């Protein structure tokens, strides 16, 4: 190591406000709220083109449009746009945890490239992590039968952001994959009561009704 401290970009204050608004609208996870979020993140980028979090937020909004509309998979154009934006965010802030985690999901979801996915996930949790990264790594580990490791990441995920809809969705998915259907259903019902406009709780409840483990990474909530 060179010993030279990393200089972090200090975002424009108005751009930061737009990013906070955009994050709130992404959390609502409806087509309308995601469109609004995209506009807010775009405004942030116009105000501060070097603000990595704005590109990350725009990528997340773009990625989640398909699931908000009831589709399990993004179009090629949607996927490529999101991937380009995640890479742009990492170009500006190489240790941005959530961007590495999102690229891991794309590697799993579309390419079934498990080695690349785990490389990205290890980068995602190597430094200051995020609930997104911890949740995605947990689901990856469950797919590979590494349940003890997965539980550690699930605990970290919940501690970081216990009320996030993405956290709750990923926790429910993890419980389904583990065969803990009653717990998954309870999480789905909790989400449905709190966020009746979301489709994710209906997916969770439907899977627990069928006691099906035929899930894939397209159900992950970024």
């Amino acid at each position: 190591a060179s010993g030279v401290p990393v200089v972090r970009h200090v975002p424009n204050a108005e751009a930061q406000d737009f990013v906070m608004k955009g994050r709130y609208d992404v959390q609502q996870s409806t087509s309308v709220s995601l469109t609004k979020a995209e506009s807010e993140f775009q405004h942030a980028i116009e105000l501060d083109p070097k603000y990595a979090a704005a590109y990350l937020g725009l990528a997340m909004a773009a990625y989640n449009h398909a699931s908000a509309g009831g589709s399990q998979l993004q179009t090629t154009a949607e996927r490529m746009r999101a991937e380009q934006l995640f890479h742009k965010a990492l170009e500006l802030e190489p240790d941005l945890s959530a961007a590495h985690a999102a690229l891991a999901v794309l590697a799993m979801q579309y390419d079934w490239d498990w080695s690349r996915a785990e490389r990205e996930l290890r980068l995602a949790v190597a430094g200051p992590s995020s609930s997104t990264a911890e949740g995605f790594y947990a689901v990856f580990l469950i797919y590979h039968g590494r349940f003890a490791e997965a539980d550690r990441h699930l605990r970290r995920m919940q501690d970081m952001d216990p009320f996030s809809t993405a956290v709750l969705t990923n926790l429910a998915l993890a419980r389904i994959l583990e065969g803990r259907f009653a717990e998954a259903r309870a999480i789905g019902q909790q989400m449905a009561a709190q966020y009746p406009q979301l489709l994710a709780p209906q997916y969770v409840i439907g899977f627990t009704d069928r006691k099906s483990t035929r899930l894939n990474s397209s159900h992950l909530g970024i």
Side-chain angles (χ1 to χ4, degrees):
S2 65
V4 178
V6 175
V7 178
R8 294 285 183 184
H9 175 67
V10 178
N12 171 286
E14 191 178 355
Q16 197 167 20
D17 286 342
F18 274 115
V19 165
M20 296 304 293
K21 291 173 183 175
R23 285 174 176 167
Y24 173 82
D25 285 320
V26 167
Q27 174 79 2
Q28 306 314 301
S29 297
T30 67
S31 294
V32 171
S33 71
L34 290 169
T35 298
K36 185 180 178 186
E38 285 186 280
S39 177
E40 289 159 339
F41 289 126
Q42 193 63 58
H43 279 308
I45 290 168
E46 290 166 4
L47 289 163
D48 188 347
K50 294 184 178 180
Y51 191 8
Y55 292 96
L56 174 65
L58 186 57
M60 289 181 170
Y63 177 90
N64 284 313
H65 255 299
S67 59
S71 173
Q72 293 185 15
L73 293 172
Q74 287 72 29
T75 65
T76 300
E78 287 171 336
R79 177 203 173 177
M80 289 181 64
R81 180 171 180 245
E83 192 165 357
Q84 287 169 355
L85 289 165
F86 287 130
H87 280 296
K88 179 62 177 179
L90 285 170
E91 178 186 317
L92 295 167
E93 192 174 325
D95 61 352
L96 194 57
S97 174
H100 282 296
L103 288 174
V105 171
L106 292 174
M108 289 187 283
Q109 182 176 351
Y110 292 98
D111 302 327
W112 291 19
D113 189 337
W114 303 104
S115 296
R116 177 157 55 94
E118 186 158 25
R119 283 197 302 273
E120 291 287 355
L121 288 166
R122 284 177 176 167
L123 288 170
V125 300
S129 190
S130 67
S131 59
T132 299
E134 299 294 345
F136 288 173
Y137 206 174
V139 171
F140 174 93
L141 292 166
I142 289 168
Y143 271 119
H144 290 83
R146 294 155 62 182
F147 298 114
E149 290 177 78
D151 275 343
R152 289 198 296 273
H153 289 285
L154 288 172
R155 285 193 296 272
R156 290 176 194 162
M157 176 188 74
Q158 290 177 277
D159 289 343
M160 289 176 178
D161 203 351
F163 303 110
S164 163
T165 54
V167 164
L168 292 170
T169 299
N170 291 340
L171 181 59
L173 172 59
R175 295 313 181 211
I176 290 172
L177 291 170
E178 292 172 321
R180 295 160 67 172
F181 299 109
E183 291 179 46
R185 184 178 179 81
I187 295 166
Q189 289 172 330
Q190 174 193 345
M191 290 178 66
Q194 292 178 311
Y195 307 100
Q197 79 279 14
L198 293 187
L199 291 176
Q202 307 309 320
Y203 289 141
V204 169
I205 294 168
F207 279 120
T208 57
D209 282 343
R210 296 191 296 275
K211 290 186 171 54
S212 169
T213 57
R214 295 179 63 188
L215 295 177
N216 59 56
S217 57
S218 65
H219 295 89
L220 289 167
I222 289 183

